[in-house]
Amino acid sequence: MLSQTTLVAQVFQVYRWEGVSFMAAQPAKSSLAPASLVGAVGEKRARRDAGTPSARRRGETLTAYLFLTPYLFVLLVFFALVSVYGVGLSLFTVDLGFTPPQFVGLHNYQVLFSQLFTNPSLSPFWISLVNVIKFTAIVVTGQTILALILALLLQTLVRGKGIFRTAFYIPALTSSVATALIFLWLYNPDGLINYLLSLLHISGPDWLNDPFWALPALMILNIWTTAASFMIYFLAALQDLPREILEAAEVDGANRFQILWRVTIPLLRPTIFLVVALGTIGAFQMFDQAKFMTNGGPLNSTLTPMLEIYNAAFNDSRFGSAAAMSVILFIIIFAVTILQRRFIDVSPQG
Amino acid sequence: MRRRIASFTSLLFIFSLLLAACGQGGSTSGSGNSGISQQGLSGGNPYINCPSSTNTTAAAPESGQITLTVSGWSSTPAEDALVQQNLQNFEKLHPNIKVNWSPIPGDYPTKMRANVASNTVPDVFYLQPAMSAEYVSSGKLLNLSPYMARDNVKASDYYSTLLNPFVCTSGQVYGLPKDWNSLGVFYNKQMFQAAGLPTPSAGWTWTDLQNDAQKLTKNPGTPHSVYGVVLSADASRWGAFLEQAGGSVLNKDGTKAAFNSPQGVQALEFYDSFFKNNTGALPTTVGAPWNGDAFGKQRAAMVFEGGWLIPYMTTTYPNVQYGIAPLPIGPTGKPANLSFTNAWAAYSGTKHPEAAWELIKYMAGPVVQESNLNAGFALPTLKSLANSPYFSSHPDLKVLFDAASYSYADYYGPQDTAIHTDLSNAIQEVLLNKESVQTALSNAETQVNTQLQGG
Amino acid sequence: MAQVQARPQATAQAIGKAPHMRREARLNWWQIIVYLLLGVFTVTSLGPLVFTLISSFKTMQDVLAFPPSLLPNPWVWTNYTEILDNAYFLRWILNALIYAGGATVLNVIFSAMAGYALSRMNFKGREVIFTVTLAVMMIPLAITLIPKFLVANTLHINNTYFALILPAMAQPFTVFIMVQFMKTLPKELEESAMIDGASRFRMFFQVILPLVKPALTVVAILTFQGAWNDFQWPLVALGTQDMYTLPLGLFFFKSAHYTEYNLLLAGSMFNILPMLILFFIFQRYFMGGALGSAVKG
């Protein structure tokens, strides 16, 4: 639940920073005007209203908070409080019920970083980070390219667009557990995937039990599940590309590939950033398949940070250490997203 | 019973306080704190710190109606029925005590931990060794030693290897083992007959095992392969061979890893020899999720598993004819095995400690243990039942039971689960040819030592 | 929103006739290739699911047969009957429905209410709350999972429906969707209602709410999908088998049954089918909805 909603939400937050309405997912201005106009007008009126007697405003405040009460409860307790709690927890040794929590300052972080500098290959947390970086790099690249290709192909169709779109989207609807279960079976050494490979005279490996192939198996699974959802974003963006520019390029004599490479893709940069950022944030937090299909094995090759955090907290009862790992993971995701924005996105001045 | 194995080899483990220089390694039997008479295990358990405060006397019996909540798990409906039967018998013997049995399905240690966190701990419950250190050291368990002294239940009534995981450094007892299991060599009678080989028996050696595996392997590396042995990269199997070579996992007071020794190398090389000679394979190689299934599918002539394989074979592969032999003897010339057990324990904060003790005494006592044995469910932990008539009609079980006197508890203190994981990973690296034996053991040693130091 | 979408399409139609016709004549062979590639991807998308559905009627031996068989031989219904016999299975579905249904109903109402206040009322603290909303959307699950568990523990709601529904009954992201959507409605709507002396509540329920039905539908679908498929939070928050939701139940089903794939394939169909049905009914909103239009503008 949270993964999907949080994912899409991230990028809206990102746009908000620049003070640009979230609707500016593409550089062309044409479709923006009406929406922002209404909003602007509305805002002006609101400001004018603000000059009314304070009695009315006080009444407004009360009503407003009545409307907001259920949401504020959830926001404060399960989001804001919890986030602060999470950071604070990382400064303690906590095991929930057996011994009283002890303040240890930065000890949890010290332990993790000293492992990094002395023997990272023996530390599950850093191993999991390496795994997830590999995983994210390949999955995000794969699903972005695949999504873009599918959208471009679909765009050229005259008929049947809707049917294909529907068909592609269906894997995204299934729950991660059901999908994991299905692929657990398909990845069996004697399962369908190896059978199909054998038809091509390729002898497939023991996917989920081979330390080399287990992570790639999960990568393929993830690309399969999410490529189509991101295709939807590209489709929407492609539909809104300014026709004038594309026409102009054609008139100038550019061929299909030149148009694609020089015109279309640069115009799509904001959407590409959207897809890459969402994909990255999601991939970095991969948990379900790692827990369900391989439980981090074989030989920790599919151990992801979320799984290690879960294990530390719920198997070892090391809540403080788990919180410290969460904070580190958050910082890394944050930094990567900022970098991606810098290099992929266009700054919305145009 | 298979659950127990799953729990030992799974990711459950306890993080606890550093082992302080608490125990002087246990001196005399019986004397606990400040000379108050208690019945404990001489030698104590150096891996588990004693709690800072615990009851040192037995509470007086209560009159009036008492209700006890009792928790545990059941692997099968039949097992559950038997437990309930025994609890009802207890109620008949103690009319003023009512027992509420509420087993926990799923992840037992996690749910129990949640119970501790929310202060809703049952009065009496199963205790797994992996849970033991955390619960004992933090004072969550009732000290049973005063009660044992009062009722003349001796620690020596139980096999020390089975009592050991539930005892702290100075010998105080916090749980009584209710049943246990060990490893045996399950062998396929038909395959041995067809190859003209004598079946394994007491006194056979590592070399015999290797030779037999050689002769029993057919078509290795093909879809129709049958291997002499099917082995898993599991510290809860290899540990037996380590002991047979004279090595051990931890040093005497549990402060350092001890398996990176010549004995450890020898044991791991022996374990790996089946893979190097193509006479052994992992279960997944023959399309089975675990050793027992490979044995049932008759892709393995021999496997090292415990008594939990017996009901599995009966229900899933009833037509396979097999026998159980003791594990082979290693270079030391002395037999060694691993023991897996669970105990009955009581919550230190229970409102009815005396009644809780009565229940534990009964459920871990000879009457219930014998009835469990006769139902074919578990091996008894009391020495007094060693010659029970059931064994004469079930020699296979006797083979497993005989290991009681030379088994080592598959339990390594507060870092138990981490140690198992590190060792299993090392074994896997060697079996998969990713590391040499020396490097794998050395890496695991570093990891384990870091964890033991609280890293 | 309707206004906004119309313009680009109108422009395209106005300009696009000639080039469009040019394309059609030139690229027949190209279109064939495109259809082929898309067809292949369709097979890989739907294939596993269809194969799973068919295989859920196979016996255990048939499921594990190598090479894998296409059609069940023999065709059995026992997988489904065995699953439904499991004491907990129907309970798991019920739990998942309670969670998903409860969360959806509440989230639609509360998000709309909060969105209304934030978008159309002026009051002290509005900007702060909106900023906090955006800020918490950014925080990854990693950091909140364990503290959420500890907070739920303190509130003594672990292993109850409350643990599942309370955190989901008003979500920042859906509030954000409602805010943005409601911002686009003209201010005049309320002015006239206010002149008529209607209270804010009346305005909300009778004027605004009917106008934001598409957004409400999207919120409902997103919430339901998220809750129905949620695995990680129930895994952490629930302790006893009788409280598990379906994805969680399937997970424990796996170890309990020595991976009896035939039963598990059947079990996963129970998880997939309701979402598929929902999808086909509300298809328009799934993909054309707030996600798509939000991105486009």
Side-chain angles (χ1 to χ4, degrees):
Chain A
M1 148 179 90
L2 286 166
S3 54
Q4 177 162 352
T5 55
T6 328
L7 291 197
V8 185
Q10 311 294 348
V11 82
F12 299 145
Q13 158 68 342
V14 165
Y15 280 98
R16 169 76 181 192
W17 290 344
E18 302 277 58
V20 173
S21 158
F22 83 113
M23 294 183 172
Q26 39 132 44
K29 287 181 290 193
S30 52
S31 45
L32 281 185
S36 39
L37 197 59
V38 171
V41 167
E43 231 107 55
K44 256 202 222 137
R45 296 244 176 109
R47 259 176 262 131
R48 201 182 59 196
D49 283 339
T52 54
S54 49
R56 162 109 81 107
R57 205 196 315 162
R58 244 183 281 129
E60 275 277 89
T61 311
L62 186 61
T63 321
Y65 278 97
L66 280 175
F67 270 89
L68 282 169
T69 305
Y71 174 56
L72 279 182
F73 169 71
V74 175
L75 185 66
L76 289 175
V77 173
F78 288 107
F79 286 91
L81 172 71
V82 149
S83 309
V84 171
Y85 193 172
V87 177
L89 202 58
S90 65
L91 304 174
F92 285 78
T93 303
V94 184
D95 66 7
L96 199 63
F98 289 91
T99 57
Q102 273 180 315
F103 181 75
V104 291
L106 294 175
H107 173 74
N108 290 325
Y109 295 97
Q110 269 173 343
V111 168
L112 287 171
F113 281 105
S114 73
Q115 281 176 350
L116 174 62
F117 294 121
T118 54
N119 227 331
S121 62
L122 293 183
S123 158
F125 179 61
W126 299 108
I127 294 177
S128 73
L129 268 180
V130 168
N131 287 343
V132 90
I133 289 174
K134 279 193 242 174
F135 178 80
T136 304
I138 296 187
V139 166
V140 169
T141 314
Q143 69 192 17
T144 308
I145 295 179
L146 187 58
L148 184 56
I149 292 178
L150 287 175
L152 289 170
L153 288 179
L154 220 50
Q155 186 71 346
T156 66
L157 285 190
V158 181
R159 281 183 312 184
K161 225 195 276 207
I163 299 177
F164 279 118
R165 210 177 50 170
T166 309
F168 295 163
Y169 194 68
I170 286 180
L173 291 175
T174 59
S175 89
S176 57
V177 175
T179 312
L181 201 44
I182 293 171
F183 273 80
L184 194 62
W185 172 54
L186 295 176
Y187 274 129
N188 231 335
D190 292 343
L192 186 68
I193 293 182
N194 276 357
Y195 174 63
L196 294 175
L197 287 176
S198 72
L199 293 179
L200 301 171
H201 297 291
I202 305 174
S203 155
D206 185 359
W207 292 95
L208 297 176
N209 288 304
D210 188 328
F212 183 73
W213 288 106
L215 194 60
L218 295 187
M219 291 178 192
I220 296 173
L221 170 56
N222 271 276
I223 295 179
W224 178 81
T225 331
T226 48
S229 325
F230 290 127
M231 172 191 78
I232 307 288
Y233 289 98
F234 282 125
L235 271 180
L238 281 172
Q239 266 171 18
D240 271 356
L241 287 184
R243 287 310 245 177
E244 310 91 50
I245 302 186
L246 292 171
E247 302 299 328
E250 255 192 71
V251 163
D252 281 351
N255 67 30
R256 297 186 63 84
F257 280 109
Q258 281 173 327
I259 297 181
L260 180 66
W261 193 248
R262 295 276 177 84
V263 182
T264 314
I265 290 189
L267 282 177
L268 283 177
R269 271 174 73 176
T271 316
I272 295 181
F273 168 65
L274 178 65
V275 168
V276 167
L278 292 183
T280 304
I281 295 166
F284 256 106
Q285 301 190 73
M286 193 268 276
F287 172 81
D288 297 2
Q289 292 89 352
K291 173 105 184 105
F292 190 85
M293 294 173 82
T294 52
N295 211 8
L299 291 182
N300 283 341
S301 59
T302 58
L303 185 66
T304 62
M306 283 303 291
L307 182 54
E308 175 58 18
I309 290 169
Y310 175 85
N311 285 340
F314 296 101
N315 287 340
D316 313 358
S317 221
R318 284 184 293 137
F319 286 92
S321 184
M325 293 189 225
S326 312
V327 170
I328 297 178
L329 182 64
F330 166 61
I331 293 175
I332 294 180
I333 296 179
F334 191 84
V336 170
T337 312
I338 302 265
L339 281 176
Q340 285 172 340
R341 203 150 84 82
R342 185 155 256 247
F343 288 110
I344 304 179
D345 196 12
V346 288
S347 35
Q349 296 139 356
Chain B
M1 289 221 213
R2 161 125 174 78
R3 267 204 69 128
R4 251 168 269 139
I5 299 313
S7 68
F8 287 101
T9 60
S10 76
L11 307 157
L12 309 163
F13 67 98
I14 317 295
F15 182 86
S16 183
L17 308 168
L18 268 177
L19 296 170
C22 172
Q24 288 91 2
S27 36
T28 64
S29 76
S31 56
N33 298 328
S34 50
I36 295 184
S37 160
Q38 301 183 57
Q39 178 54 247
L41 185 68
S42 65
N45 181 336
Y47 301 166
I48 302 182
N49 272 348
C50 295
S52 48
S53 73
T54 187
N55 58 301
T56 49
T57 54
E62 297 169 52
S63 56
Q65 194 63 29
I66 299 174
T67 309
L68 292 176
T69 46
V70 180
S71 209
W73 69 81
S74 299
S75 310
T76 61
E79 189 186 327
D80 195 69
L82 191 58
V83 172
Q84 293 196 46
Q85 181 67 50
N86 287 323
L87 291 172
Q88 279 162 16
N89 292 341
F90 174 80
E91 281 178 329
K92 291 198 197 104
L93 293 170
H94 295 84
N96 67 322
I97 304 182
K98 176 132 180 29
V99 172
N100 275 340
W101 167 242
S102 54
I104 295 174
D107 192 349
Y108 182 77
T110 308
K111 182 66 176 107
M112 277 302 297
R113 216 184 255 134
N115 285 340
V116 171
S118 55
N119 257 326
T120 52
V121 188
D123 295 300
V124 176
F125 50 92
Y126 289 2
L127 186 70
Q128 293 176 352
M131 298 159 66
S132 172
E134 189 175 26
Y135 282 71
V136 172
S137 306
S138 60
K140 296 283 181 238
L141 298 179
L142 187 68
N143 181 4
L144 301 177
S145 293
Y147 295 89
M148 290 165 71
R150 183 196 76 178
D151 291 354
N152 206 21
V153 174
K154 301 200 201 56
S156 53
D157 291 344
Y158 295 88
Y159 287 101
S160 59
T161 172
L162 305 177
L163 191 56
N164 197 282
F166 312 107
V167 164
C168 73
T169 12
S170 41
Q172 289 145 311
V173 176
Y174 287 91
L176 288 182
K178 64 184 190 74
D179 52 33
W180 71 292
N181 229 307
S182 72
L183 295 173
V185 179
F186 285 68
Y187 61 89
N188 188 312
K189 282 189 182 152
Q190 286 166 328
M191 287 190 205
F192 269 80
Q193 236 175 6
L197 290 170
T199 58
S201 53
W204 69 313
T205 64
W206 277 13
T207 324
D208 294 331
L209 176 56
Q210 283 171 316
N211 290 339
D212 284 353
Q214 183 88 30
K215 299 205 185 80
L216 292 161
T217 303
K218 300 200 185 338
N219 310 317
T222 68
H224 305 288
S225 53
V226 172
Y227 287 90
V229 271
V230 163
L231 310 158
S232 49
D234 195 344
S236 297
R237 301 286 177 278
W238 175 71
F241 295 96
L242 175 63
E243 302 283 355
Q244 286 161 13
S248 65
V249 173
L250 296 181
N251 64 351
K252 231 180 164 8
D253 45 350
T255 52
K256 283 215 307 226
F259 51 82
N260 188 17
S261 58
Q263 293 88 354
V265 170
Q266 193 180 23
L268 193 48
E269 280 176 348
F270 170 73
Y271 206 68
D272 188 36
S273 67
F274 301 99
F275 285 77
K276 295 288 181 296
N277 299 336
N278 234 342
T279 55
L282 291 174
T284 49
T285 310
V286 294
W290 62 300
N291 297 338
D293 198 62
F295 187 68
K297 287 190 161 86
Q298 305 210 58
R299 303 289 296 272
M302 296 179 276
V303 289
F304 311 115
E305 285 289 334
W308 50 83
L309 182 51
I310 300 178
Y312 185 72
M313 292 298 288
T314 319
T315 44
T316 323
Y317 300 102
N319 298 326
V320 176
Q321 292 180 350
Y322 66 93
I324 306 180
L327 293 184
I329 306 222
T332 62
K334 288 197 289 228
N337 205 327
L338 293 177
S339 61
F340 313 97
T341 181
N342 290 301
W344 282 102
Y347 180 44
S348 58
T350 174
K351 294 197 176 47
H352 314 289
E354 210 278 333
W357 158 249
E358 288 292 337
L359 183 59
I360 294 180
K361 184 172 74 169
Y362 180 72
M363 294 302 284
V367 171
V368 168
Q369 289 210 21
E370 180 136 36
S371 83
N372 284 346
L373 174 63
N374 290 335
F377 270 124
L379 297 174
T381 59
L382 286 165
K383 294 179 184 162
S384 58
L385 293 172
N387 293 312
S388 180
Y390 187 79
F391 285 127
S392 20
S393 45
H394 294 80
D396 280 351
L397 272 184
K398 190 74 165 70
V399 166
L400 293 172
F401 182 81
D402 282 341
S405 48
Y406 56 79
S407 292
Y408 297 83
D410 180 38
Y411 171 64
Y412 309 111
Q415 303 300 329
D416 187 57
T417 314
I419 294 174
H420 274 97
T421 310
D422 293 337
L423 271 180
S424 298
N425 280 345
I427 299 168
Q428 194 170 17
E429 283 172 358
V430 169
L431 296 185
L432 291 177
N433 252 330
K434 304 262 179 228
E435 293 272 20
S436 71
V437 169
Q438 282 82 352
T439 323
L441 286 179
S442 168
N443 282 344
E445 181 184 37
T446 317
Q447 280 178 304
V448 169
N449 281 337
T450 317
Q451 279 143 1
L452 288 175
Q453 280 148 23
Chain C
M1 286 288 211
Q3 266 179 313
V4 172
Q5 281 179 8
R7 285 180 83 234
Q9 278 175 11
T11 335
Q13 265 171 4
I15 302 178
K17 278 250 158 87
H20 185 77
M21 284 191 337
R22 245 190 290 141
R23 252 174 226 128
E24 184 141 30
R26 198 166 46 169
L27 296 169
N28 255 325
W29 61 270
W30 173 248
Q31 291 222 312
I32 294 176
I33 294 190
V34 169
Y35 274 114
L36 227 95
L37 287 173
L38 291 176
V40 167
F41 196 71
T42 311
V43 169
T44 54
S45 287
L46 296 181
L49 298 172
V50 170
F51 190 52
T52 303
L53 177 59
I54 298 178
S55 303
S56 67
F57 295 105
K58 294 180 183 170
T59 59
M60 172 72 155
Q61 279 83 349
D62 206 5
V63 161
L64 292 180
F66 185 78
S69 57
L70 185 55
L71 291 177
N73 181 21
W75 181 286
V76 295
W77 294 95
T78 51
N79 298 335
Y80 287 94
T81 53
E82 253 188 82
I83 285 186
L84 291 171
D85 265 348
N86 181 326
Y88 291 119
F89 194 76
L90 287 175
R91 187 69 206 257
W92 294 337
I93 297 182
L94 179 67
N95 290 337
L97 281 175
I98 293 179
Y99 174 31
T104 304
V105 166
L106 292 178
N107 193 27
V108 167
I109 299 176
F110 293 149
S111 294
M113 280 167 58
Y116 180 61
L118 289 171
S119 64
R120 306 189 73 82
M121 292 202 251
N122 189 29
F123 58 96
K124 207 168 161 146
R126 184 185 64 179
E127 279 315 304
V128 172
I129 296 179
F130 191 64
T131 313
V132 172
T133 301
L134 292 176
V136 300
M137 285 197 302
M138 241 209 95
I139 297 170
L141 188 56
I143 245 191
T144 60
L145 183 68
I146 290 147
K148 244 167 81 172
F149 169 73
L150 293 175
V151 166
N153 199 34
T154 315
L155 295 175
H156 292 291
I157 56 174
N158 265 336
N159 206 36
T160 63
Y161 292 120
F162 288 111
L164 296 177
I165 297 181
L166 278 185
M169 72 177 182
Q171 298 171 19
F173 175 52
T174 52
V175 166
F176 183 68
I177 291 182
M178 294 309 306
V179 167
Q180 299 302 111
F181 202 87
M182 285 181 176
K183 263 197 200 156
T184 67
L185 299 176
K187 196 78 176 162
E188 292 80 8
L189 287 171
E190 282 149 315
E191 309 252 302
S192 44
M194 253 196 274
I195 294 175
D196 285 348
S199 73
R200 276 294 188 184
F201 288 97
R202 276 260 283 226
M203 273 193 270
F204 175 66
F205 278 105
Q206 291 178 347
V207 178
I208 303 291
L209 221 44
L211 289 177
V212 296
K213 277 216 198 98
L216 292 179
T217 315
V218 168
V219 167
I221 290 172
L222 283 179
T223 316
F224 191 87
Q225 184 180 358
W228 181 257
N229 288 338
D230 193 10
F231 173 61
Q232 201 175 353
W233 174 239
L235 177 65
V236 159
L238 301 175
T240 51
Q241 260 194 20
D242 61 335
M243 283 304 297
Y244 291 161
T245 55
L246 188 55
L248 199 54
L250 287 181
F251 176 57
F252 285 99
F253 214 41
K254 166 184 173 231
S255 15
H257 286 250
Y258 301 108
T259 324
E260 278 166 290
Y261 283 110
N262 55 329
L263 294 181
L264 294 177
L265 292 181
S268 61
M269 292 319 313
F270 280 94
N271 196 247
I272 297 175
L273 283 176
M275 279 315 298
L276 279 183
I277 295 173
L278 218 71
F279 176 66
F280 280 112
I281 298 178
F282 292 104
Q283 201 201 77
R284 200 158 53 100
Y285 291 106
F286 260 90
M287 296 183 297
L291 287 182
S293 61
V295 167
K296 276 196 307 197

